[in-house]
Amino acid sequence: MTPTVIAIHVAKARRLPMQAREQVEIEAGKGIVGDRHHGTRHRHVTVQSRESLDEAAAVFGQVVPSHLTRRNITVSHGVVPRDPGALLRVGDVLLEAVRIAAPCKLLDDTIGDGAQEALRRRAGTVFRVLEGGSIAVGDEVRSG
């Protein structure tokens, strides 16, 4: 079964709550229109797997809500590529992996003590946008 997009979240600025979206527009070389990282050098889109969040929840002892991790795109299952240069196609958008998305201390504040550690190596990947377009909940996710 092909992984699909199950959640999309954006925030207009740092520390503002993440807002769920059904669809977002993505600009090549810039990122998600309306997101706090739009126009940054490399941190255009972050992608995580619900499967990895469920693994973190088993370690953490409670559910890890997708929106509280502060990642943009959550896919249904599978491993999100981590190696720099790896390609991922989400709908009609082409993404290139930049680095692992390291969990920050803010997660302990928003999810609970121990969330940061539980999400280590499970917090997704930071991508740059090579080809823009739109991403919607339900879109398929495939390797480059």
Side-chain angles (χ1 to χ4, degrees):
M1 186 163 129
T2 303
T4 60
V5 174
I6 59 169
I8 302 171
H9 293 94
V10 298
K12 292 182 187 234
R14 289 185 50 181
R15 295 203 173 257
L16 286 182
M18 298 294 280
Q19 302 295 316
R21 298 284 187 263
E22 288 296 311
Q23 181 174 336
V24 289
E25 293 303 312
I26 315 286
E27 291 183 331
K30 292 189 176 186
I32 300 174
V33 175
D35 186 65
R36 67 202 181 283
H37 294 296
H38 183 265
T40 59
R41 187 170 177 200
H42 297 298
R43 188 185 177 98
H44 298 160
V45 178
T46 52
V47 181
Q48 66 188 353
S49 170
R50 182 71 245 172
E51 188 174 333
S52 293
L53 295 181
D54 291 344
E55 290 171 8
V59 171
F60 183 54
Q62 69 184 43
V63 173
V64 176
S66 298
H67 70 286
L68 292 182
T69 63
R70 307 204 52 84
R71 303 299 177 243
N72 299 121
I73 309 293
T74 304
V75 300
S76 57
H77 64 281
V79 176
V80 175
R82 297 174 168 186
D83 295 334
L87 299 178
L88 187 69
R89 187 165 294 277
V90 182
D92 57 354
V93 173
L94 183 62
L95 304 173
E96 178 185 26
V98 175
R99 63 176 171 79
I100 293 171
C104 66
K105 173 74 172 101
L106 180 61
L107 298 177
D108 283 352
D109 298 337
T110 57
I111 300 172
D113 287 340
Q116 179 183 12
E117 184 57 36
L119 284 160
R120 196 167 312 285
R121 295 173 301 283
R122 300 179 183 98
T125 304
V126 174
F127 289 89
R128 73 172 52 96
V129 181
L130 298 181
E131 296 174 10
S134 64
I135 293 177
V137 171
D139 282 353
E140 289 190 347
V141 179
R142 300 184 181 278
S143 295

